[in-house]
Amino acid sequence: MRETSFNTRAVHFQAKEPARNASKAKPIYQTSAFVFTDLEDMESFYEGEKEYLYSRYSNPNTDDLGKGVALLEETDDGVATSSGMSAILAGVLAVANPGDHVLASDDLYGGTYQLFAQELPNFGINVSFVSFQDLNKVTESLTDKTVLIYTESVTNPLLRVEKLEEVIALAKEKGIKTMIDNTFATPYLLQPATLGADLVVHSATKYIGGHSDVTAGVLVGEQTLIDKAKGKVITLGCNLSPFEAWLACRGLKTLSVRMERQSHNAKMLAEPLESHEGVARVFYPKYVSEKGNGAMVSVDLADDVNVEAFFRSLGWVKIAPTLAGVETTVSYPLRTSHRTIPDELRKELGIGAQLVRISVGIEDEKDIIAAFVQAIESAK
Ligand SMILES: *Cc1c(COP(=O)(O)O)cnc(C)c1O
């Protein structure tokens, strides 16, 4: 390098790849492309011998996330994406073509509802929504164009546990693919692919990341569908950056210990709220898995509790329009995640002005309980 000029040296200063011990932590391959020694070497990528060419196609860190979640979900393979939303889009486009119909649950994350109701029709894909609590309604809503059934395993924000086994069995009988948003349950509690789901999607922004410092998505499932989805991710450009994939992978390593503690804390919080006179109704799943019921608790505050005052009285508990971090947070679905759901559907679902959604963190359970009891009592 010494013989070159300053401008050349300024960009080529890097030492050669070290031949030292491998690092314990996964390095971040913060690179947009990979280099080759000669044309034959480059050809070897296209022959499948070399793994990496260009980071929009694939990268060791994004591969880690896709494969890591696939391993935990006990399915073939996965692809990491720029957000939960783009993972959902890639999954749907891997299955549905123009003219096809998708049947979705009516109790969905607001962004998913918007994607399905407003954007998919522009791709020529029609979506209808129905309650998945009644299997007869699901059956009646299928058409000869239905190629995909979509639902969340535990719904947001009312924490309904969908009848996955029945829905998947029905789809299999009709030759229809199933895609399950497993964000709230996480593979720690539930693995929809082991029940027969073809695709499982996560907003890795939530429990997989777990620290509220990354926006990411991951789609896992059966190999041929994931191969198709990878193609969509490459062409749509909704790949994840290496650093964000690295953060999500770091989160994934502690998923089980976080979920264990957070699920326990949520259970401990749901109990005293059930019997509190300032609470009209607690939404907390009866049963998700033998390991627990997840870390979300939604609450309809009693009519004599002033919601604005409740949010002002939370003390150390932060108000945030997200969930799943290690800190306990509270959100207000009516004005955030479910703002875009039509009023009528929102009323039908029971997402009203007194509903607050609690994402329970890893703090000490007695502090969490005290914070909410105190906030409710001072807002009465
Ligand atoms: C947050 C969320 C999404 C969307 O994920 P982003 O990472 O925000 O794009 C999808 N489904 C559920 C259940 C969510 O909570």
Side-chain angles (χ1 to χ4, degrees):
M1 270 293 64
R2 287 226 171 254
E3 68 286 3
T4 60
S5 64
F6 178 88
N7 288 344
T8 306
R9 270 182 281 143
V11 292
H12 288 280
F13 60 86
Q14 272 191 83
K16 284 262 180 295
E17 279 290 305
R20 50 180 91 110
N21 294 355
S23 71
K24 181 167 184 293
K26 177 91 171 189
I28 304 172
Y29 290 79
Q30 191 68 35
T31 182
S32 59
F34 297 81
V35 293
F36 297 89
T37 51
D38 54 28
L39 292 181
E40 197 186 324
D41 190 32
M42 194 176 226
E43 206 51 38
S44 71
F45 169 81
Y46 293 95
E47 281 158 16
E49 286 159 28
K50 280 255 157 77
E51 275 182 287
Y52 301 108
L53 178 82
Y54 190 59
S55 281
R56 177 159 55 76
Y57 297 6
S58 62
N59 170 286
N61 298 108
T62 57
D63 273 5
D64 260 8
L65 183 59
K67 289 197 192 321
V69 174
L71 203 60
L72 297 185
E73 290 281 7
E74 295 188 35
T75 182
D76 298 347
D77 197 9
V79 57
T81 64
S82 57
S83 65
M85 293 305 302
S86 54
I88 296 168
L89 177 62
V92 171
L93 294 182
V95 177
N97 291 304
D100 287 341
H101 171 250
V102 175
L103 184 64
S105 159
D106 64 357
D107 189 7
L108 291 178
Y109 175 70
T112 309
Y113 177 81
Q114 216 172 346
L115 172 69
F116 286 5
Q118 290 175 16
E119 299 301 331
L120 289 185
N122 295 327
F123 288 79
I125 299 164
N126 294 307
V127 187
S128 50
F129 302 91
V130 67
S131 168
F132 274 38
Q133 294 291 295
D134 182 352
L135 261 293
N136 289 329
K137 276 196 194 155
V138 176
T139 310
E140 282 164 22
S141 307
L142 297 172
T143 76
D144 57 358
K145 300 264 196 277
T146 309
V147 293
L148 181 68
I149 292 182
Y150 184 97
T151 185
E152 295 171 3
S153 46
V154 178
T155 70
N156 174 21
L158 299 178
L159 308 172
R160 237 162 58 179
V161 182
E162 299 290 16
K163 300 178 175 114
L164 289 191
E165 273 154 37
E166 285 95 327
V167 169
I168 291 167
L170 172 69
K172 283 215 185 300
E173 192 191 303
K174 311 254 180 202
I176 296 167
K177 302 284 185 208
T178 44
M179 178 164 165
I180 312 294
D181 183 333
N182 201 31
T183 300
F184 273 40
T186 81
Y188 173 74
L189 295 178
L190 205 68
Q191 297 144 322
T194 65
L195 305 176
D198 300 288
L199 288 169
V200 178
V201 68
H202 283 276
S203 167
T205 314
K206 313 293 167 54
Y207 290 105
I208 287 174
H211 296 74
S212 316
D213 53 12
V214 59
T215 298
V218 60
L219 176 77
V220 301
E222 186 263 317
Q223 193 67 55
T224 53
L225 289 178
I226 293 301
D227 288 344
K228 272 197 192 156
K230 282 181 179 174
K232 303 292 176 191
V233 170
I234 291 170
T235 311
L236 296 171
C238 56
N239 53 293
L240 185 62
S241 84
F243 177 55
E244 303 211 274
W246 184 89
L247 279 175
C249 286
R250 190 168 70 158
L252 189 59
K253 291 182 191 206
T254 57
L255 177 69
S256 59
V257 286
R258 284 185 282 108
M259 279 310 280
E260 193 181 342
R261 168 81 74 91
Q262 286 173 259
S263 292
H264 169 81
N265 284 352
K267 184 161 182 266
M268 291 300 131
L269 175 65
E271 279 167 16
L273 292 183
E274 293 267 8
S275 54
H276 197 284
E277 56 181 13
V279 173
R281 188 167 169 197
V282 173
F283 298 88
Y284 174 73
K286 275 203 183 64
Y287 183 82
V288 176
S289 99
E290 60 192 16
K291 286 178 171 171
N293 298 322
M296 300 297 298
V297 181
S298 293
V299 171
D300 249 338
L301 295 171
D303 286 338
D304 62 347
V305 174
N306 181 301
V307 174
E308 312 266 342
F310 167 82
F311 276 100
R312 275 196 303 270
S313 313
L314 286 164
W316 57 264
V317 175
K318 292 192 180 77
I319 304 166
T322 187
L323 60 111
V326 289
E327 308 92 351
T328 297
T329 56
V330 191
S331 84
Y332 191 50
L334 181 69
R335 289 211 212 134
T336 57
S337 56
H338 289 66
R339 207 182 173 101
T340 57
I341 307 267
D343 280 348
E344 215 148 282
L345 176 58
R346 208 161 48 200
K347 275 208 194 90
E348 217 173 280
L349 291 171
I351 302 169
Q354 293 298 101
L355 184 75
V356 300
R357 190 189 70 188
I358 305 166
S359 169
V360 181
I362 63 170
E363 303 92 344
D364 268 341
E365 62 190 67
K366 66 173 190 334
D367 294 330
I368 300 171
I369 296 166
F372 284 98
V373 168
Q374 179 274 125
I376 292 168
E377 282 165 8
S378 55
K380 260 174 101 74

